[in-house]
Amino acid sequence: MSDTYVELLVKKPEQKAAAALHGIMIGLGAVLFCIGLFTHFLITLTGLLLWGASYLFSMQAHVEYEYLYLDKELTVDKIKNQAKRKKVGVYSLSTLEVMAPRKSHRLDSYQNLKAKDYSSETEAGNAFELVLNGENGRERIVIDTNEELIKAIRMVAPRQVFTD
């Protein structure tokens, strides 16, 4: 049995506002912590809370998506800050209705469906939309692709994949 395996890692551009806010919160937290050591405990606690909140902002600033295609199944993982991985979706491509570039006219009848966006959200990302029949009805997902991934999905569903 020949299984097709394709792996693709897509990096979202760094969110400049979150990175700047992260730096400000770390600096302010350090100042409040040092002042609080000599004055009042609540100021020290506020500095520690700012450090904790800055960690949450740093996790949102660096996001990557990893697509794994293996034998008619697409798995999407979200990687935050190159440290924390979470599986955000597993999609069976045997229920694929249509796959086309993001601005294709072939997706016009599916615009009322809410899209789950797992793309880099850049022009260079080559974003494609997939419409699938899942357990919760129709699902529309947006992913970045390369030629190898498109070719692998086309082997499974040749009449549903469009590259125009």
Side-chain angles (χ1 to χ4, degrees):
M1 183 171 153
S2 65
D3 293 333
T4 304
Y5 177 80
V6 179
E7 181 177 355
L8 180 62
L9 186 66
V10 174
K11 194 176 223 178
K12 284 182 89 166
E14 184 178 344
Q15 296 178 353
K16 302 294 184 196
L21 192 57
H22 171 67
I24 291 170
M25 290 175 80
I26 283 182
L28 186 60
V31 169
L32 287 176
F33 181 78
C34 292
I35 291 172
L37 285 176
F38 299 110
T39 57
H40 198 273
F41 174 71
L42 288 178
I43 297 173
T44 305
L45 186 63
T46 304
L48 290 174
L49 288 174
L50 277 174
W51 277 344
S54 71
Y55 174 74
L56 294 175
F57 278 106
S58 73
M59 292 296 279
Q60 297 301 325
H62 307 283
V63 176
E64 298 174 348
Y65 289 105
E66 182 181 53
Y67 314 126
L68 294 172
Y69 173 79
L70 178 64
D71 197 32
K72 299 180 186 178
E73 188 171 89
L74 181 69
T75 304
V76 181
D77 292 343
K78 185 176 186 178
I79 304 167
K80 293 183 179 180
N81 210 19
Q82 295 181 342
K84 190 174 181 181
R85 175 184 293 264
K86 181 180 179 185
K87 187 175 290 195
V88 292
V90 178
Y91 303 99
S92 173
L93 295 179
S94 60
T95 62
L96 181 69
E97 284 191 27
V98 65
M99 176 180 171
R102 186 142 206 202
K103 303 295 182 191
S104 176
H105 67 88
R106 298 180 190 278
L107 299 166
D108 290 343
S109 61
Y110 302 105
Q111 292 302 319
N112 60 343
L113 297 174
K114 186 176 178 187
K116 294 179 184 176
D117 195 350
Y118 306 127
S119 68
S120 65
E121 300 172 356
T122 62
E123 290 296 322
N126 195 19
F128 271 66
E129 288 190 24
L130 286 80
V131 179
L132 304 131
N133 280 323
E135 293 95 27
N136 303 331
R138 284 186 177 158
E139 295 178 280
R140 192 174 107 199
I141 64 169
V142 180
I143 62 171
D144 285 346
T145 59
N146 60 8
E147 289 299 320
E148 188 179 4
L149 184 61
I150 293 171
K151 182 179 173 185
I153 295 173
R154 183 177 280 144
M155 299 264 296
V156 173
R159 293 184 183 185
Q160 286 82 14
V161 178
F162 302 99
T163 57
D164 53 11

